[in-house]
Each structure stands twice: as structure tokens, then as C-alpha cells.
Amino acid sequence: MKDIDMIVGPRVPQELLKRERKRFLMPTIFLGTAGLLLLISIFLPYWKLTLYAPQYPNGLVMKVYVNRIEGDVKEIDTLNHYIGMRSLTEAASLERTLSIFMVVAIGLLVIAAIYLHSPAAAVFALPAFFYPFIFLGDLYFWMWNFGTNLDPRAPLSNAIEPFVPPLLGEGKVGQFKTIASWEIGLWVVFLASILILVGLYYHRKAYKPLLEEQLKKEILEK
Amino acid sequence: MFKKHVSRWILPLLGLGILALFYTCGKGGKQAGVQVGGEDVNKVIEERGLTPNDVLAAVKTYLPTGKYDEYLLFSSGGHSGQVLVIGVPSMRLLKVIGVFTPEPWQGWGYSTDTWKVFEEGGINGTTLTWGDTHHPALSETNGDYDGEYLFINDKANARVAVIDLRDFETKQIIKNPLTLSDHGGAMVTPNTEWVIEGGQYGMPWTGEYAPLSQYKEKYKGMITFWKFDRKKGRLIKNESFAMELPPYWQDLSDPGKLVSDGWVFLNSFNTEMATGGVEEGNPPFEAGVSQRDMDYMHVINLKKAAQLFKQGKTKKIRGFNVLTLDTAIKEGILYFIPEPKSPHGVDVSPDGRYIVVSGKLDPHVTIYNFDKIQQAIAEKKFSGKDEFGVPVLDFDAVVETQIEVGLGPLHTQFDPNGFAYTSLFLESAVARWTMGGEWASKHGKEPWSLVDKVSVHYNIGHLVTAEGDNVNPDGKYLVALNKWAIDRYTNVGPLLPQNFQLVDIESGDRPMQLLYDMPIGIGEPHYAQMIKADKIKSWEVYPEIGWNPHTQSKDPDGVQAGQEKVVRRGRTVEIWMSAIRSHYTPERVEVRKGDRVIWHITNIERAKDATHGFALPEYNFNLSIEPGETQTIEFVAKRPGVYPFYCTEFCSALHLEMMGYFLVKP
């Protein structure tokens, strides 16, 4: 068996496929759905920060997507300049440029894993599995980066201590109460991670015997 | 409906309070009442000396914080030259729209574009800085207010202004080229094709001299039909025309609606053609113009007049299209109807079938029937002709009825239930009377009869009911526009405020109830219109950054953040500045003495209410630059010196710091 065959794994004989349809369908469904969810999440908000103060009765909202921030960004920037925070448009610019491509890529890798009938499938699905954690980690990094690098010459630089708003739940900055919440996009990619785990389990169940059988056959032939 | 405005618990609570008060009064003793936040409601009512009627009125008008009014009242601001916007039923003043008078809070008349509006509304090179606003007219679609535009006339100089209700700003002031005073406008036709401006005091065409001894020959009366271009939001002068009328003093007008669409009714007085001269032993005007028992209501076939204008049957006078009196008579588009003398209101009923005329010196309202007028015209039932040859329709042939309503009837509006409301100037009251014809079934009362009166304080001029002069009146509320306040308010010196009084007219089965007094300390309002507030779709901020409110489009000189610059071209320095909380960019502007300065400022905010001002001392500028707006000023830096400019709107915690230096080098 060549290296490439080791990665691709054995093909399933037609009659076996017919006989045990469910066995081979399960990993396809779970991994396929996971890949699809990743692609869909591109269009959904991942994270939301709402700021409340008396003069903003409806709150100020900032919704983070994989490649953009929507909502009252302009107004939040206008307020942030008082404490010397950089414009939100400068945050995570590399991530935002690459994000769509990256998410599509890891989504496709998961789908590709369906066609790999070997342990390599797990390697292909791994980036997608870790993706939501990487997203949150990166988000925290930028919040820390922005919240602790305030311009000391800003009008209110003495009034505000450097701060990092929580990733989830309530915080307080000046007269603002902040509420961070995880949005549908993030839940969707978490769901994808779970589906990947389940999918890999079925994947192993479906293809491991086939692979072992083939290896055994090869050893005997030698 | 008022329940909507009262938080759920106050109403039953105060209701209980009223009951408790009755109970207390009946018993003549004291009793503990409803407690709210440690206070006894009855005790408060008692200590303030309120009657149950007062408490009911308070409950009907009080708006808790954050709740909105159901109606907006657009009122003329009289000789303040402005328009007032008032919430009903709370009677809170929401805005004073700058129209014919510069208004620094809105920067109205201080920027290049807004001053241009004043210049275009000038007379022979004189830029006027005040007006006498009389009759606001909301734009209509199919005879119903559509909440898009507001028109108002300036009686003092015969001008009409256009206000765009997307931003509540005046866009145009147009000067009538023929005359110097108007009155019967602004009124609009049911689809706002025409904005009507009736003249007032007879005079030769503007700029012409003729002695008063030639009054009949040389002096003119007139009415103007301004063509409105809804898309552009402007009155179009060369598509408009005037109609020459005898030199009677034309007064109020009202265009027909539904069945009477295409016709215009216009009052007049001084059909005596008195020319005054009390100093020469003649009767003064007040007597001279009131000699005859009848004046003439003018009935104008506007539809046909517009056709004649299209066919080129107008003459150019002072560069303006005029249908002469001779043409009007020859083509049969002008008729007179005798009306009680010194009339003011001529008001078409919501169905367009009846025309109600109030002669201030006659205790009746006179109701004319449009069908009968048409029949009389068709059958040529004339009682004669006036001195100029205009056919006069036979009074008895066209009148429906006359109702004695009281002394000094002045103006009438309507409700949906077949009641009409007429102000009684001399009696200081409002009369409610029933309509006849098809309206009789709605109120089930004796048609054409007086049913109720309420006293108002004092000397009521016009009145207004909710949407009461369009095809779908709401009735419900009535505001009496009283000329005198006398004892209604704490005295504030010899110039007293005018007095607006809110009256509940919701049900025809109970008497009208006076609810609330609102002092108007800015001018003497004349006419007002009340529109359902949700019909007006105004902007919260301008649609885009760099918006020019005058053109209602993007201004080429608007800037985004980062595009600010200062450019010198010879002796001209042009500045493109941005404003945002809490700084201008640039903050330092330096020029040389004698430079021409063109200064564009854009508010790059997108937040509601984040308006910035711009005040430049000595140069007499103050701008209001609302979120997204771009404004421009131009001037010559005459004297060397240092001029701190600053933001006049308290925009933020660092508002005082929002300033900059304009430096003029010697």
C-alpha cells in the first residue's frame, strides 16, 4: 500500500455498501453537516457586545461576524476616542481579511474527511474542531490588546483604567454597563465541533475494520 | 384613546381619586384616599384646589415621560414669521421652525444656502428678515394630509414658503411679483398640484403708482395659483399663474374637494372699495369697508383657469402669468355670490358639498350648497353683475341654510360625526352645530342646528380640529386660537402671550370640555392644522454624511473623516472641516487680512441628537449642523485678530473644549 493509499484509505465494495448502508452513511451525514454549518456561520453573527447608558435607551450594539463588525460601530468609536481606544475598524485586520477563505477551507477539509477512509480524516477535521476556541481566543486577544493599549493623551485617559470586557456576561466601563453574549454563529460552529466528534466516532466504526482487513491482506500476500 | 397615553395605573387611580373627592365633598368630612409613593392623591387634589373637572382634564392631557402625542399641531407663528409645532393633547411646544425670520438655533439664515432662501424671497433687492405667517397648509393626497410638506404665507409681503417635513426645514420662499399683501393662502388643492395664495389689500401691480382717487381703475385684487413640484419640493414660478380680480380685499380661500374638486372659493370684503382718509373727514376704513350688508364670495373654476393658462390665454405682467379679469369673465370662470359682510372663514365641508361662510358682523353661519351653485351657473340664475361685469349668482338660489350660532362667527372646521365647529370672536366661544344632508344620520340630531357652546378665553380667531379641514376629519380635539389672554396667566408685562386652548370634542353626546391652556409667547398665530403624528415620517439623522438640506442631496463639499483640508487659491481660502464629539478638524485656521473665506463644515456623526453648532464671533455666524449635515459660510476676513470659534450645542462632556482658533494675520 502506497503512502497516498494509506491516507485515502480503502474504497468500500459495492455490495458491502448496499448491505450496510447506514454504517457508511453516518460519518458522511455528521461530517458533511459540520462542514456545511461552518460555511453557513460565515453569514451569522458570532459575538455581540451591548453597551447600556442612560442616554442610549436602546443600548449600543456591536455584532462581530467572521469578517466584519456591524451595529453602532461608528458611535462606539466616537465614544472610545475619549478614552484613547483605537478605532474598532483597526482590530484583527489580518484575521478579517483571511477569515472567509480560512473558514471555507476548514469547512471543505471536514467535507474532504468524508472521502478519506483512514485516520487522516481526523487530522483533516481537527482545525474545524478547534476553530470556535481559536475564534474566542483571538477575540480575547484583541479585546485585551485594545483595552490595555489606551492612548495616554486621550481626553479621559486619567478617568479610565485599562480594561478587558468579559467574553461572556456583564462588565462595566465608565457609565456603560456591557453585556457580552455568544450569538448564533458561534453556537453553530460549536455544534459543528460536536458533530465532528460524533462523525469521527462513526467514521472509525465504519472504516477501521475495512482498513485493518486490507492491511492484513497485504501482509498475507507478502 | 387618551388611555394610551396614561400609564395603566394612573387612570383608575385618579378615577378613584375623583370618586373619593365626590364622596368627601358629599360627606363634608375628610377621608384617607389613594396613596401613591407615600402621598395622598386626594390631599394633593384638595390642596391644589382642583375640581373633578380639572382632574379629568389633567388625566386627558398629561403625557408621562417618553410617551408621544397623538397629533401634531402646525400653527402659524404670526408676525414672528415662523411656524410652531405643538403636540396634542399635551400642548407641548416641540419646535419653532425658522421660516421668514432668521433663527440662530437652527442656523436658519446664517449659512450661505439658508441666506440664499431669504435673498430669493426678497423684494427689489431688499432682503426681508421677518414675515407675518398666517395660514399653514399641509400637503394633501386625495384630499387627505400626507405629511410630506407644509406651505405658509407671509401676509406682510405676499410670499409663500415651502417646508419639507422630512427635516422640518424651510426650502423655499417665493415672492409674489404682483402684489405686496396676501391672505387667502396658503391653501392646497386635494393633490397639492396648486398652492393657493389669495391677495388682500387692493393695490396697483407692485411698483406702480396710482393715486387713491383712481382706486377702481388702477387698483387690483388677485389670487395666485402656485404650481408645486413635489419631487423637487419647490414652487415653480413659470408654471404658476395669477388671476386678476376686482380690487375688493380678497380674504380667506378654500379649494373644493371630492364633488367640488377643481373649484376654489374665496372671500372678500370692502366691496364698497372704500379708500379711507379719516384725516380728510372720510369714514375710516373700518366703517367704509362695512357699509354694505353683503360682500362677495368669489367662485373660481380653477380647472378651467388652468386649461386657459395652458392654452396661452394669460398675459405677462411683471414677468408673471396673469389671467386678466376680462378673460376670466369672458371665459365664465369667475362668479360672485353675496355673503354676509366682513366674512373671514370660507370652509368647504369634508364631503365637498357645502361651503360654510362666517361673516364676523352677522350672527349666522351661511351654508351654500355646491350642487345649487352649479345649477345656478348652468341656468344663469344671476341677480345681476358687479361693477366690473362679474356675474353675481342669486343668493336664494345657492344658499342651503343659515344658522344663528352667536356673535362674531369667524371660522369653521369639522369632525367625522357631522358636527361643525365655529369660532365666535365677539362672544369668545366655540359653537358646535349639526350638519344636514347625508351627515344627519351620523349625529341623529336635528340637522342644521346649534347644539352646544363652550367659552374660551378670549377673542378667539381661528380654531382647528384634528384633521378638521380635509376629507377625513378626526375631530376629537379642538384648539381655540385666542387672540387675547387678559387674565389667564401671570402677568409678564404689557405684551401678553396669545392663548391656545385645548377642547375635548370627542363625543357629540356630551358637552365640549375645556382641557388645557397653552401660552404662545412668540407671535400671534392665525391658522393651524392638526395632523395625526404617525403620518409624518421625518428623518432622525440626515441620510448620508455630507448631506445638503437645501438640495436634499449629497453636498459635493461634504467630507468624511480624514478628508478634511484647507486650500488657498490666490486670495481665497477654502476650508473643508469636520465636526464630531468633541472636536473640529482642523482646529486651527489661519488666513490673511482681506482673504475671502469659504468654510464648509460637515457633521460626521451618525448618532441621533448629536448636533454640533458653529459660532464665529464678530462675523455674526451661528450654524446648526445636524448629524450628517454639511453647511457653508462665506465671508471676507476684514480685520486682523484671533477669533475663537466654538460649538454652540452642548454635545458632550467635553463640549466646552470643542473649539478652535480662526487667526487673521495682518
Side-chain angles (χ1 to χ4, degrees):
Chain A
M1 209 176 176
K2 285 183 223 153
D3 285 353
I4 183 75
D5 293 331
M6 279 299 288
I7 291 170
V8 173
R11 297 297 95 187
V12 184
Q14 277 303 314
E15 36 187 292
L16 181 64
L17 196 61
K18 251 181 216 165
R19 211 173 341 113
E20 296 187 41
R21 207 185 191 93
K22 203 181 151 198
R23 170 179 159 194
F24 298 104
L25 205 56
M26 291 304 269
T28 306
I29 288 174
F30 281 100
L31 293 176
T33 311
L36 213 60
L37 286 178
L38 279 164
L39 298 182
I40 290 170
S41 83
I42 290 173
F43 306 99
L44 302 172
Y46 273 45
W47 187 76
K48 187 173 90 175
L49 188 69
T50 312
L51 299 114
Y52 291 100
Q55 55 271 61
Y56 296 95
N58 300 321
L60 287 173
V61 176
M62 159 178 142
K63 274 187 179 175
V64 173
Y65 289 70
V66 285
N67 66 335
R68 62 190 191 279
I69 307 176
E70 279 191 359
D72 306 304
V73 178
K74 215 178 133 62
E75 183 63 12
I76 293 171
D77 270 347
T78 302
L79 295 173
N80 280 347
H81 98 276
Y82 286 117
I83 57 169
M85 188 182 280
R86 282 168 290 159
S87 167
L88 294 173
T89 52
E90 293 171 26
S93 53
L94 178 70
E95 288 92 322
R96 282 198 246 175
T97 328
L98 298 179
S99 58
I100 299 275
F101 169 75
M102 296 294 283
V103 174
V104 170
I106 62 174
L108 291 178
L109 280 179
V110 176
I111 292 167
I114 296 169
Y115 301 95
L116 305 180
H117 303 158
S118 75
V123 179
F124 271 55
L126 223 53
F129 173 76
F130 286 114
Y131 168 61
F133 305 99
I134 296 167
F135 175 86
L136 284 174
D138 194 50
L139 182 68
Y140 189 81
F141 165 76
W142 281 108
M143 285 207 288
W144 170 81
N145 185 314
F146 266 55
T148 55
N149 289 303
L150 301 177
D151 184 347
R153 296 176 310 165
L156 298 181
S157 65
N158 297 331
I160 298 271
E161 287 293 309
F163 65 99
V164 187
L167 275 182
L168 183 64
E170 268 188 49
K172 199 158 169 57
V173 191
Q175 79 269 40
F176 284 92
K177 184 172 96 174
T178 65
I179 294 178
S181 57
W182 295 6
E183 296 299 295
I184 181 84
L186 193 58
W187 294 118
V188 160
V189 293
F190 267 126
L191 179 63
S193 296
I194 294 168
L195 293 182
I196 286 168
L197 283 185
V198 178
L200 287 176
Y201 165 76
Y202 282 115
H203 186 277
R204 190 164 184 270
K205 228 172 118 180
Y207 299 111
K208 202 186 171 200
L210 276 184
L211 188 65
E212 282 173 348
E213 202 176 306
Q214 180 149 357
L215 286 174
K216 216 184 277 171
K217 216 192 278 172
E218 276 181 28
I219 291 163
L220 285 177
E221 276 170 16
K222 275 181 191 165
Chain B
M1 280 302 277
F2 62 80
K3 283 180 189 170
K4 255 196 200 161
H5 301 298
V6 178
S7 68
R8 234 169 266 139
W9 53 270
I10 276 202
L11 188 65
L13 218 57
L14 284 178
L16 277 176
I18 295 163
L19 285 178
L21 190 77
F22 276 129
Y23 185 72
T24 314
C25 293
K27 285 252 181 170
K30 302 230 182 244
Q31 185 173 324
V34 186
Q35 298 279 323
V36 181
E39 275 193 288
D40 186 323
V41 174
N42 285 341
K43 211 171 143 222
V44 176
I45 292 170
E46 199 181 311
E47 278 171 6
R48 298 203 66 212
L50 302 178
T51 65
N53 214 28
D54 296 337
V55 175
L56 184 62
V59 173
K60 284 180 179 179
T61 52
Y62 175 70
L63 269 195
T65 181
K67 299 278 190 249
Y68 300 160
D69 280 299
E70 189 181 355
Y71 289 94
L72 285 186
L73 183 70
F74 287 90
S75 169
S76 86
H79 36 335
S80 75
Q82 316 295 45
V83 165
L84 315 179
V85 188
I86 295 161
V88 176
S90 75
M91 300 306 280
R92 297 180 297 191
L93 177 66
L94 298 172
K95 201 170 210 177
V96 176
I97 306 174
V99 186
F100 294 107
T101 307
E103 206 292 313
W105 170 57
Q106 292 155 75
W108 178 241
Y110 294 89
S111 66
T112 306
D113 280 336
T114 59
W115 183 247
K116 215 188 293 163
V117 174
F118 279 88
E119 285 180 337
E120 283 167 7
I123 305 176
N124 298 326
T126 302
T127 304
L128 304 163
T129 53
W130 78 284
D132 184 13
T133 59
H134 269 242
H135 309 101
L138 288 155
S139 58
E140 294 180 9
T141 300
N142 299 323
D144 211 343
Y145 301 155
D146 56 36
E148 289 186 4
Y149 291 95
L150 184 78
F151 309 92
I152 192 153
N153 69 316
D154 162 27
K155 166 169 165 163
N157 300 287
R159 298 183 293 166
V160 177
V162 180
I163 298 163
D164 189 334
L165 294 180
R166 282 175 294 181
D167 59 357
F168 282 56
E169 279 197 15
T170 307
K171 302 301 169 192
Q172 184 184 23
I173 297 175
I174 201 160
K175 172 74 197 92
N176 196 307
L178 299 172
T179 189
L180 287 174
S181 72
D182 69 21
H183 193 268
M187 310 290 164
V188 300
T189 50
N191 282 303
T192 324
E193 305 94 333
W194 302 101
V195 177
I196 299 169
E197 182 195 17
Q200 178 107 84
Y201 303 121
M203 54 174 274
W205 299 129
T206 299
E208 201 174 300
Y209 170 78
L212 280 159
S213 56
Q214 295 177 8
Y215 188 88
K216 283 179 198 175
E217 300 79 40
K218 294 283 172 67
Y219 284 54
K220 312 284 184 192
M222 59 91 72
I223 185 168
T224 300
F225 301 101
W226 293 103
K227 184 80 192 166
F228 183 59
D229 185 328
R230 197 185 277 262
K231 231 181 189 165
K232 288 186 189 143
R234 297 290 190 274
L235 300 169
I236 310 297
K237 192 174 167 187
N238 54 19
E239 291 176 35
S240 307
F241 67 100
M243 205 168 141
E244 181 196 347
L245 298 170
Y248 310 143
W249 295 354
Q250 281 76 31
D251 201 63
L252 276 168
S253 67
D254 201 10
K257 45 188 130 183
L258 302 173
V259 291
S260 51
D261 189 6
W263 293 75
V264 172
F265 310 94
L266 172 69
N267 272 341
S268 70
F269 60 115
N270 196 16
T271 45
E272 298 84 351
M273 292 185 280
T275 54
V278 65
E279 64 285 359
E280 289 167 21
N282 295 334
F285 274 116
E286 57 174 324
V289 305
S290 314
Q291 294 301 301
R292 299 175 45 170
D293 281 339
M294 289 291 199
D295 283 309
Y296 291 131
M297 170 162 72
H298 300 26
V299 178
I300 297 165
N301 187 338
L302 171 58
K303 203 172 154 193
K304 207 163 161 197
Q307 281 167 4
L308 295 174
F309 168 47
K310 254 196 184 148
Q311 290 160 11
K313 299 211 170 151
T314 50
K315 240 172 77 177
K316 286 270 186 202
I317 298 173
R318 300 276 176 282
F320 199 63
N321 307 303
V322 181
L323 265 179
T324 62
L325 183 57
D326 289 343
T327 311
I329 295 169
K330 201 176 77 199
E331 300 283 349
I333 57 169
L334 176 65
Y335 300 93
F336 287 162
I337 295 177
E339 58 182 354
K341 69 176 168 183
S342 188
H344 202 62
V346 51
D347 304 295
V348 179
S349 63
D351 56 7
R353 287 185 189 284
Y354 303 103
I355 299 114
V356 180
V357 168
S358 322
K360 291 193 298 286
L361 304 177
D362 178 285
H364 298 87
V365 286
T366 303
I367 295 133
Y368 300 88
N369 184 320
F370 179 72
D371 291 337
K372 291 183 181 174
I373 293 172
Q374 291 303 301
Q375 204 179 341
I377 290 172
E379 293 169 8
K380 297 194 170 11
K381 282 191 191 155
F382 303 136
S383 56
K385 284 182 177 178
D386 85 327
E387 283 185 55
F388 296 86
V390 181
V392 179
L393 296 173
D394 179 44
F395 178 80
D396 292 324
V398 295
V399 76
E400 177 72 29
T401 186
Q402 288 189 296
I403 308 167
E404 188 169 339
V405 289
L407 300 176
L410 195 141
H411 173 228
T412 302
Q413 287 210 346
F414 305 89
D415 78 7
N417 307 315
F419 294 103
Y421 301 83
T422 300
S423 55
L424 304 173
F425 179 83
L426 299 175
E427 218 176 298
S428 285
V430 171
R432 170 194 261 164
W433 50 272
T434 56
M435 304 267 290
E438 286 169 18
W439 293 97
S441 60
K442 299 208 176 191
H443 50 68
K445 293 181 164 36
E446 174 76 21
W448 307 124
S449 62
L450 176 71
V451 287
D452 185 22
K453 267 192 205 180
V454 63
S455 291
V456 291
H457 315 90
Y458 301 88
N459 295 359
I460 179 174
H462 283 272
L463 54 71
V464 54
T465 61
E467 309 224 345
D469 63 0
N470 73 25
V471 296
N472 285 314
D474 287 4
K476 204 162 178 170
Y477 296 110
L478 179 148
V479 176
L481 282 63
N482 302 306
K483 303 294 182 188
W484 284 19
I486 308 179
D487 59 354
R488 292 296 105 174
Y489 303 107
T490 309
N491 198 44
V492 287
L495 179 61
L496 271 60
Q498 315 290 314
N499 190 20
F500 275 18
Q501 285 183 308
L502 180 69
V503 179
D504 175 3
I505 57 164
E506 184 156 24
S507 167
D509 295 325
R510 51 180 160 80
M512 295 180 277
Q513 186 198 3
L514 182 62
L515 296 178
Y516 196 75
D517 286 16
M518 178 199 187
I520 304 288
I522 181 174
E524 188 207 277
H526 293 269
Y527 193 84
Q529 285 186 328
M530 202 193 299
I531 179 176
K532 198 89 195 297
D534 58 17
K535 280 187 175 175
I536 295 174
K537 313 273 183 250
S538 51
W539 291 327
E540 294 189 336
V541 297
Y542 280 107
E544 288 178 70
I545 288 179
W547 193 265
N548 181 327
H550 185 62
T551 59
Q552 294 288 42
S553 61
K554 282 260 284 194
D555 191 316
D557 290 312
V559 288
Q560 303 284 338
Q563 296 174 342
E564 302 89 348
K565 61 184 172 179
V566 179
V567 174
R568 170 177 286 279
R569 290 186 311 271
R571 293 310 312 265
T572 299
V573 177
E574 193 160 2
I575 303 139
W576 287 268
M577 177 181 265
S578 73
I580 191 167
R581 278 160 292 165
S582 312
H583 57 272
Y584 299 103
T585 309
E587 290 183 323
R588 297 174 187 169
V589 175
E590 194 168 86
V591 302
R592 287 198 297 269
K593 183 189 160 209
D595 281 345
R596 172 154 202 82
V597 180
I598 306 171
W599 199 325
H600 315 284
I601 309 168
T602 301
N603 179 338
I604 57 174
E605 303 267 8
R606 296 317 283 152
K608 189 177 173 181
D609 215 353
T611 295
H612 295 293
F614 176 82
L616 185 60
E618 196 173 310
Y619 287 94
N620 198 33
F621 285 114
N622 183 50
L623 301 179
S624 167
I625 317 163
E626 290 114 51
E629 182 173 350
T630 297
Q631 283 291 0
T632 298
I633 54 172
E634 278 185 53
F635 60 95
V636 174
K638 279 186 202 143
R639 266 182 300 281
V642 173
Y643 303 86
F645 58 83
Y646 74 101
C647 172
T648 35
E649 278 270 345
F650 205 115
C651 59
S652 61
L654 294 169
H655 157 72
L656 293 180
E657 290 78 356
M658 186 164 176
M659 64 83 65
Y661 283 105
F662 175 60
L663 305 118
V664 183
K665 283 199 281 194

